[in-house]
Structures are given as structure tokens and as C-alpha cells.
């Protein structure tokens, strides 16, 4: 019986102890629960553009001078952080279209790598002035609505938001914001001491101290300050995120303080001090704050050393193994020429590449970043033509274009073709026309450009161009219509009735409206050949002489169509200009009224007038006949 009572008492004692432990166990699940191995979250900035990497930087990322728009850079960051034992990022953010887009990309990259995220909300503007309470409340409420359910934020019971600049807001301001988001977010202040934190301790869900410039060698009680802040936060059941930085140098942005990295010893000491403050998480300052030089991201100056040190502290593989994980693989950029131009050379930064037989140039670079891509400076031969750069696939027409590596896909480079053309000329019967007589040829291209040529052999004409379509660049053949051919001052073609297509052959023949004319000069009354030469006035006013043969004829080939004037010269008679509209091969009879014709006509008129008188006086008729005969002999 006694043993039974003892057993019952032991059982009751065990139940009582279990019940007493229940509240403690429940508390351990709250936001202030202590963790033996707290997660390490690196502060991460998504503000970078290619132009951000200016003169205030003293070191640059190993991945190149990247843009925060590039998800491939974020993926590489997430892979490296995971390999070094970092558990996630604390992302600097406020709600803008640009930063929301970048946050969404980082969420995707982090989720793929198995990292978690928290937010440090930018409560201060560029001038370090607090944003309006309404703006803060709206931004955080929208964040909770849009992103709060994403698994990348489930590190604690609710998504964690650090309110940067909380010291600039009153208790009333903080209460206003907390009323809108307290049930959906864990809002942490960013106060700088335990005493400052006490002002908001009953309103917020904890505190995160962003102490980037701490120097353990010169700051009295450095570790004790962190411990006291951790105790103050935990006494109010809040989350405590302790800071740790590898060093600090803000001199390039106007500061005076420098905390030496001490070959990694500063980071080791600060990580140990942060752990000793019993944090719920350690805020590693930073992943990529290059302005204050607190970064651990692999850089040109430090290489992968500081990620290797983080990996060593976190007990992940060995520094050498970590360095292998952080190696930068080459990035390949493909340039597709349109049309496919084998041998086309390209320059990407300091690297070069030449297009293969398929017209694809492949260039490898070892770092991400923004490079200058340069098109071929010289012409490239293509099927007897020459190719000249016209535009890139993104619409840029300059031969140099900035390119962010890694690129999202192949880059198109479009080229126009110039082909040689030899123009020859014939008449409507296919007979050759001397090109020396042609003054100019004007062509109108299908692209709308006019080309006036004064030489007609080995003329290089644009033969193909590239146009932008939905699917990319597309080559388009160019053709030409003949607007005019000026020969002897006249246009000898009908506009737009003939075409020139350089891609269809080098020899291009144009038919000119030139004709032959046969001129016959005859006496108007008696029909005998007359005159020594012809005067021929062209449509534009020039006059030329044509000798007449013994038969009074002259033949001229290849006269330009048009209206001419002709006159017989060197004939005894009255010279008259005769118009001629030449539009075909033709024979032209030119009748000259000679002095003999005038005399004959005059005598005929006289005889007609004297006929009644002569009929009445026969002797007078005989005398008149003798006089006429004498006159005829003198003219013979």
C-alpha cells in the first residue's frame, strides 16, 4: 500500500511538472524563441543599375557591374549564399514598380535555392527624412497582401519586416501602422540601443540593429551592448536580430570611419559577439553593400575569400571547398547574324568572336556585367556582295550597344547588302546605245530612297535590308524602279516601267526610247535633191549639223524621243524650220522652196496674167516664148 502511495505521488508530481512546462513550451514557439543555431540572414540590396557602379566604389563584384533587374545574377547570388551556409537575405525594399519587380525576381531565385527572405523597409527617403505614416502603412499592407503568403517568407510564424528609421517615428505613428499589419507581419524596430528600444517595446515585435561600422577594437563594451539589447528584446517576447559585419570603409561616400577587415578576423569576432547575444537571427552586413564596403559577395579585390570565411564559421565544408562552389563559370553570348554571315567579327569588351558557317558568333566572358558589343567595323563579303551593319535586334542602329551579361538569349545583328551592278542600254529593237551619251540614271528603291547615277559600271547599290518583325530581324530584298534616264538632255524612259534588281544578277539592261530617223531633202516643185546639210535642234535646244549625201539624204541612229526642229542648210532658197515629234523610227521628207521654184511660179503667174493679151497678138506670144527660153537657159 505504501509503495502504491509513493507511485501515485510520483505520477502526480510528473503530471504537475508537465503542466508547469506547458506555458513555457508555448512561449518557446513565439517570436522571441531562442535558437541554439540561429539563422544567418545577409542584408541584400536591389538598387543596382549599370550606372550605379560609379566613382564612389573601390571594389566591384566578381560577376561584373550588374543590374538588379538580372535574375541570373540573383540566382548566382542565391546559389553562393546557400553554399556558404547563409540561410537567407534581408532585402532592402519600398513599394515601387521597379523594386517590386526586383523583389519578385529575388523571391523566385531564393525559393529555387532554398533560401528564406525578410524585408528591411526603407522608412527614410534619400535625404534621410521619414516617409509619411500613410505611405508606410500602405506599403506594408500591400506587401502583406501581395507577398505575405509566399513560402520564401515563412522563416518565422509571420513574414518579418525591419522598419528602418523607426527612431524617426512617434509611438502614435507606430501604433497607426501596427493596427493595419500586426496580425499579418512581424514588425521589428531598428533602434540603436536597449534604451531606445524600450520606447517602442510594447508596440513592435522585436528589434534589429544595423550596426555596420562597429569596431570591436575601439568601441568600449561592444559585445556587452549587443547582449543588453538582446536581453531587452527577449524580455518583451520579441525577435532579436544581431548585427555582424566583415569591416567598413565609407570614405568614398564622404565618411571618415574605417574598420579594417583584418584578413577576416573582424568578421569572425563580430559573428561570435552576435551569437553571444542570444539572437533569433544574425543580420550579416552585408551581401552587396559596395558603397560602405561591408560586402561578402565575391569581388574583384577580395575574390571569394569572405564567403569562404562565412562557410568556415558556419561549418560548411572547408574554405577550399567553398571557394570551388563560388567559382565563376564563363558566360557565353551568342550573336546571330541576319542574313547568316560567315566570318563576321564581333567584339564584346576585351573578348572577340567570329561568326561560323551558320552565321553565329560565340563569345565567352568570365563575369556578368554590362559590356560594349561592337559590330564589324569593315564590310563582310557575302555571295559576291558586301554586307554592312544596319541594326541590332533590339532596334539600336549604332554599331556599339551596351549588353548585360548574362544575356536573356541570342543577340541578332542585322546587315544590309550592297551588290555591284553594271548598267547597259539598248533601243527598242535591242540595239546597243553608247553609255557615254547617257548623262544620268535615277532609281527609286522599294525602301523609298532615290539614287542618281552618273557612272554605270561597277555601281554598288543597296540590294537587301533588315526589318524588325515580331519574331525578330528579317532580311528583305530591295528592288528599284527607273524614274529617269537622261540622254542628250531628254528623259528616254517612261517612269516606273522598268526595274533593276541587284540580287538577280550583275548585268542589268535598260531599254531607252531612242529611234532612227531618215531625212530626205528635195526641191519642193521639181523634186531634185537639194541642200548641203541639215541643222537639227534637239528638244533641249542644242543644234547639230548633219551632212546630206548626193541624193539629198541623211540617216541618224539613236535619237532621243522628243520634239525636234529641222532645217535644210546650203540650199538656194528660203530656209524654214520644220518641227518633228520623234516617237518611233521614221522617214522625214523635207521640201525646200528654191529660188527656181519661186521663178517658175512667178513665170507661171505672169503667163496666166498675160494669156488673154497673148491670144490676141501672136507676135507677142513668140517674143514671150523666146524670153522664157532665154531665162531658162540662164538658170540651167
Amino acid at each position: 500500500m505504501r509503495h502504491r502511495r509513493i507511485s501515485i505521488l510520483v505520477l502526480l508530481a510528473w503530471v504537475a511538472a508537465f503542466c508547469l512546462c506547458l506555458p513555457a513550451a508555448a512561449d518557446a514557439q513565439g517570436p522571441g524563441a531562442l535558437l541554439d543555431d540561429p539563422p544567418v540572414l545577409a542584408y541584400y540590396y536591389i538598387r543596382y543599375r549599370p550606372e550605379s557602379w560609379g566613382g564612389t566604389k573601390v571594389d566591384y563584384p566578381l560577376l561584373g557591374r550588374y543590374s538588379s533587374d538580372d535574375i541570373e545574377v540573383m540566382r548566382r547570388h542565391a546559389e553562393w549564399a546557400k553554399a556558404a551556409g547563409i540561410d537567407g537575405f534581408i532585402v532592402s525594399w519600398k513599394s515601387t514598380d521597379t523594386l517590386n519587380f526586383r523583389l519578385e525576381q529575388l523571391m523566385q531565385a531564393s525559393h529555387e535555392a532554398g533560401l528564406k527572405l525578410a524585408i528591411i523597409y526603407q522608412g527614410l527617403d534619400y535625404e534621410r527624412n521619414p516617409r509619411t505614416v500613410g505611405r508606410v502603412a500602405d506599403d506594408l499592407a500591400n506587401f502583406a497582401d501581395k507577398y505575405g503568403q509566399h513560402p520564401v517568407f515563412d522563416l518565422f510564424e509571420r513574414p518579418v519586416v525591419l522598419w528602418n528609421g523607426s527612431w524617426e517615428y512617434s509611438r502614435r505613428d507606430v501604433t497607426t501602422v501596427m493596427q493595419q499589419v500586426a496580425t499579418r507581419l512581424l514588425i521589428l524596430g531598428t533602434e540603436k540601443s536597449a534604451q531606445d528600444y524600450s520606447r517602442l517595446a510594447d508596440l513592435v515585435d522585436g528589434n534589429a540593429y544595423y550596426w555596420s561600422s562597429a569596431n570591436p577594437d575601439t568601441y568600449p563594451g561592444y559585445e556587452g551592448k549587443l547582449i543588453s539589447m538582446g536581453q531587452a528584446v527577449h524580455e518583451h517576447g520579441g525577435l532579436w536580430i544581431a548585427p555582424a559585419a566583415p569591416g567598413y570603409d565609407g570614405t568614398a561616400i564622404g565618411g571618415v570611419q574605417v574598420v579594417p577587415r583584418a584578413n577576416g578576423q573582424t568578421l569572425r569576432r563580430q559573428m561570435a559577439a552576435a551569437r553571444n547575444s542570444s539572437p533569433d537571427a544574425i543580420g550579416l552586413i552585408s551581401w552587396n553593400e559596395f558603397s560602405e564596403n561591408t560586402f561578402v559577395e565575391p569581388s574583384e579585390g577580395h575574390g571569394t575569400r569572405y564567403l569562404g570565411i562565412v562557410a568556415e564559421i558556419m561549418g560548411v565544408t572547408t574554405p577550399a571547398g567553398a571557394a570551388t562552389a563560388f567559382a565563376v563559370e564563363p558566360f557565353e553570348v551568342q550573336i546571330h547574324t541576319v542574313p547568316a554571315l560567315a566570318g563576321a567579327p564581333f567584339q564584346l569588351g576585351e573578348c572577340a568572336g567570329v561568326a561560323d558557317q551558320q552565321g553565329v558568333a560565340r563569345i565567352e566572358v568570365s563575369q556578368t556585367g554590362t559590356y560594349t558589343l561592337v559590330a564589324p567595323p569593315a564590310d563582310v563579303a557575302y555571295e559576291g556582295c558586301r554586307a554592312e551593319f544596319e541594326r541590332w535586334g533590339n532596334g539600336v542602329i549604332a554599331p556599339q550597344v551596351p549588353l548585360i551579361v548574362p544575356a536573356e538569349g541570342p543577340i541578332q545583328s542585322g546587315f544590309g547588302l550592297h551588290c555591284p551592278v553594271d548598267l547597259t542600254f539598248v533601243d527598242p529593237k535591242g540595239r546597243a546605245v553608247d553609255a557615254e551619251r547617257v548623262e544620268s540614271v535615277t532609281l527609286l528603291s522599294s525602301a523609298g530612297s532615290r539614287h542618281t547615277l552618273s557612272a554605270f559600271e561597277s555601281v554598288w547599290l543597296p540590294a537587301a535590308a533588315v526589318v524588325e518583325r515580331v519574331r525578330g530581324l528579317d532580311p528583305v530584298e530591295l528592288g528599284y524602279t527607273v524614274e529617269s534616264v537622261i540622254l542628250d538632255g531628254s528623259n528616254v524612259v517612261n517612269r516606273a516601267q522598268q526595274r533593276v534588281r541587284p540580287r538577280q544578277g550583275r548585268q542589268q539592261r535598260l531599254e531607252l526610247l531612242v529611234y532612227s530617223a531618215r531625212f530626205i531633202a528635195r526641191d519642193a516643185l521639181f523634186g531634185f535633191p537639194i541642200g548641203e546639210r541639215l541643222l537639227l535642234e534637239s528638244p533641249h535646244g542644242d543644234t547639230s549639223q548633219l551632212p546630206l549625201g548626193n541624193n539629198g539624204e541623211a540617216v541618224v541612229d539613236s535619237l532621243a524621243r522628243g520634239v525636234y526642229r529641222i532645217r535644210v542648210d546650203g540650199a538656194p532658197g528660203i530656209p524654214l524650220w520644220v518641227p518633228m515629234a520623234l516617237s518611233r523610227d521614221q522617214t522625214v521628207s523635207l521640201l525646200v522652196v528654191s529660188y527656181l521654184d519661186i521663178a517658175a511660179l512667178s513665170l507661171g503667174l505672169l503667163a496666166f496674167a498675160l494669156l488673154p493679151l497673148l491670144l490676141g497678138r501672136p507676135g507677142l506670144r513668140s517674143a514671150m516664148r523666146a524670153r522664157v527660153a532665154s531665162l531658162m537657159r540662164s538658170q540651167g
Side-chain angles (χ1 to χ4, degrees):
M1 190 69 177
R2 180 182 177 187
H3 291 292
R4 184 176 178 184
R5 288 197 190 100
I6 293 174
S7 298
I8 293 173
L9 289 173
V10 170
L11 179 61
L12 290 174
W14 183 87
V15 171
F18 178 78
C19 293
L20 289 172
C21 289
L22 284 177
D27 288 342
Q29 303 303 313
L34 301 181
L35 301 177
D36 294 333
D37 190 14
V40 174
L41 308 175
Y43 286 89
Y44 189 99
Y45 295 91
I46 54 176
R47 61 173 178 246
Y48 292 108
R49 298 173 294 171
E51 56 268 30
S52 301
W53 306 97
T56 61
K57 307 294 189 296
V58 296
D59 198 357
Y60 298 94
L62 198 60
L63 288 178
R65 302 177 189 191
Y66 53 73
S67 167
S68 295
D69 290 325
D70 191 346
I71 192 171
E72 293 304 322
V73 169
M74 292 180 173
R75 285 189 171 115
R76 185 60 62 90
H77 287 171
E79 292 170 1
W80 283 348
K82 187 69 173 179
I86 294 173
D87 298 286
F89 296 127
I90 302 173
V91 190
S92 179
W93 173 87
K94 66 177 181 293
S95 184
T96 68
D97 290 342
T98 298
L99 295 182
N100 290 344
F101 168 74
R102 293 171 177 175
L103 174 61
E104 290 166 8
Q105 293 208 122
L106 183 61
M107 290 166 58
Q108 179 180 340
S110 298
H111 188 60
E112 291 169 357
L115 297 182
K116 299 300 181 180
L117 294 182
I119 296 295
I120 178 167
Y121 178 74
Q122 299 174 15
L124 306 179
D125 63 19
Y126 185 77
E127 302 295 331
R128 307 300 291 171
N129 295 317
R131 303 185 190 281
T132 66
V133 175
R135 168 71 186 275
V136 176
D138 288 344
D139 279 1
L140 297 184
N142 289 335
F143 170 80
D145 292 340
K146 191 171 184 180
Y147 306 120
Q149 300 304 313
H150 196 285
V152 79
F153 292 109
D154 65 2
L155 180 62
F156 294 98
E157 65 182 44
R158 298 191 297 276
V160 174
V161 176
L162 285 58
W163 187 344
N164 184 40
S166 62
W167 59 87
E168 293 286 353
Y169 293 84
S170 68
R171 284 180 55 83
R172 181 177 180 180
D173 293 337
V174 175
T175 300
T176 299
V177 174
M178 294 299 291
Q179 285 175 344
Q180 294 197 39
V181 298
T183 60
R184 294 182 290 167
L185 303 175
L186 293 174
I187 305 297
L188 276 59
T190 53
E191 303 300 312
K192 300 178 182 181
S193 69
Q195 182 178 359
D196 293 338
Y197 167 71
S198 64
R199 181 180 68 94
L200 302 176
D202 60 328
L203 300 179
V204 296
D205 298 304
N207 198 71
Y209 184 20
Y210 191 95
W211 198 5
S212 58
S213 58
N215 189 337
D217 290 328
T218 61
Y219 189 92
Y222 162 74
E223 184 173 337
K225 178 176 180 177
L226 296 184
I227 292 173
S228 66
M229 291 187 72
Q231 290 173 345
V233 173
H234 288 147
E235 286 174 0
H236 287 84
L239 286 174
W240 162 236
I241 299 181
Y248 178 90
D249 184 352
T251 55
I253 55 174
V256 295
Q257 189 169 355
V258 175
V259 179
R261 289 184 176 237
N263 200 27
Q265 291 307 310
T266 299
L267 178 58
R268 290 186 175 92
R269 290 178 65 184
Q270 293 207 21
M271 287 287 284
R275 275 207 170 102
N276 289 339
S277 69
S278 302
D280 300 283
I282 295 176
L284 177 59
I285 307 174
S286 63
W287 178 266
N288 59 348
E289 174 52 280
F290 278 81
S291 295
E292 296 182 349
N293 294 288
T294 61
F295 56 86
V296 296
E297 177 185 353
S299 70
E300 294 175 0
H302 296 295
T304 61
R305 175 166 183 75
Y306 282 89
L307 269 192
I309 293 172
V310 172
E312 177 186 336
I313 294 171
M314 300 301 294
V316 177
T317 65
T318 64
T324 302
F326 310 143
V328 179
E329 298 177 0
F331 295 90
E332 182 182 86
V333 175
Q334 289 190 16
I335 303 133
H336 291 201
T337 58
V338 180
L341 298 177
F346 293 89
Q347 191 80 21
L348 183 65
E350 299 299 323
C351 303
V354 178
D356 58 21
Q357 292 300 314
Q358 287 71 45
V360 179
R362 294 174 170 85
I363 303 176
E364 286 190 350
V365 294
S366 60
Q367 299 178 7
T368 66
T370 300
Y371 293 77
T372 299
L373 177 61
V374 183
D379 299 333
V380 180
Y382 180 80
E383 297 181 358
C385 301
R386 66 176 184 235
E388 296 181 2
F389 172 80
E390 283 193 356
R391 66 177 61 203
W392 301 100
N394 61 3
V396 176
I397 60 176
Q400 299 184 4
V401 64
L403 179 66
I404 296 176
V405 177
E408 293 183 358
I411 313 302
Q412 284 191 311
S413 180
F415 292 80
L417 300 181
H418 288 66
C419 298
V421 171
D422 293 328
L423 294 179
T424 57
F425 307 96
V426 297
D427 66 11
K429 291 187 176 180
R431 296 170 296 193
V433 177
D434 186 2
E436 293 292 331
R437 296 175 57 201
V438 179
E439 299 170 23
S440 67
V441 175
T442 299
L443 306 175
L444 178 65
S445 81
S446 53
S449 59
R450 278 186 173 78
H451 302 259
T452 298
L453 312 176
S454 57
F456 313 111
E457 291 184 358
S458 298
V459 177
W460 289 85
L461 289 176
V466 287
V467 296
E468 286 189 80
R469 306 195 188 281
V470 175
R471 65 178 180 275
L473 297 182
D474 195 21
V476 176
E477 181 180 343
L478 297 178
Y480 297 83
T481 57
V482 182
E483 287 205 318
S484 67
V485 176
I486 305 301
L487 180 144
D488 296 339
S490 298
N491 182 14
V492 290
V493 294
N494 292 323
R495 183 176 180 274
Q497 286 190 350
Q498 298 184 71
R499 295 184 177 276
V500 173
R501 295 188 178 276
R503 291 286 289 146
Q504 294 185 2
R506 180 164 183 162
Q507 300 296 327
Q508 303 280 324
R509 189 174 73 172
L510 300 181
E511 182 179 301
L512 308 184
L513 300 178
V514 295
Y515 304 101
S516 298
R518 179 171 173 248
F519 300 100
I520 302 173
R522 293 288 186 267
D523 181 84
L525 187 58
F526 298 101
F528 55 79
I530 191 171
E532 298 177 1
R533 56 193 169 273
L534 294 178
L535 297 181
L536 183 64
E537 184 181 271
S538 69
H540 59 286
D542 293 338
T543 301
S544 58
Q545 296 184 5
L546 303 175
L548 289 170
N550 294 330
N551 59 354
E553 297 184 7
V555 177
V556 183
D557 293 325
S558 299
L559 281 179
R561 68 169 179 182
V563 177
Y564 292 80
R565 293 202 309 161
I566 312 124
R567 191 183 79 182
V568 178
D569 197 28
I574 301 173
L576 298 174
W577 287 102
V578 178
M580 176 189 71
L582 185 65
S583 59
R584 57 183 175 81
D585 292 343
Q586 61 189 77
T587 299
V588 181
S589 295
L590 302 171
L591 300 179
V592 179
V593 179
S594 65
Y595 296 132
L596 177 61
D597 296 338
I598 295 172
L601 289 173
S602 298
L603 289 175
L605 291 174
L606 181 61
F608 182 76
L610 297 176
L611 184 59
L613 178 60
L614 294 176
L615 290 177
R617 297 176 63 184
L620 183 59
R621 290 198 300 273
S622 298
M624 290 294 293
R625 282 198 296 271
R627 181 60 179 164
V628 169
S630 175
L631 182 61
M632 291 290 289
R633 285 194 296 275
S634 68
Q635 294 288 331

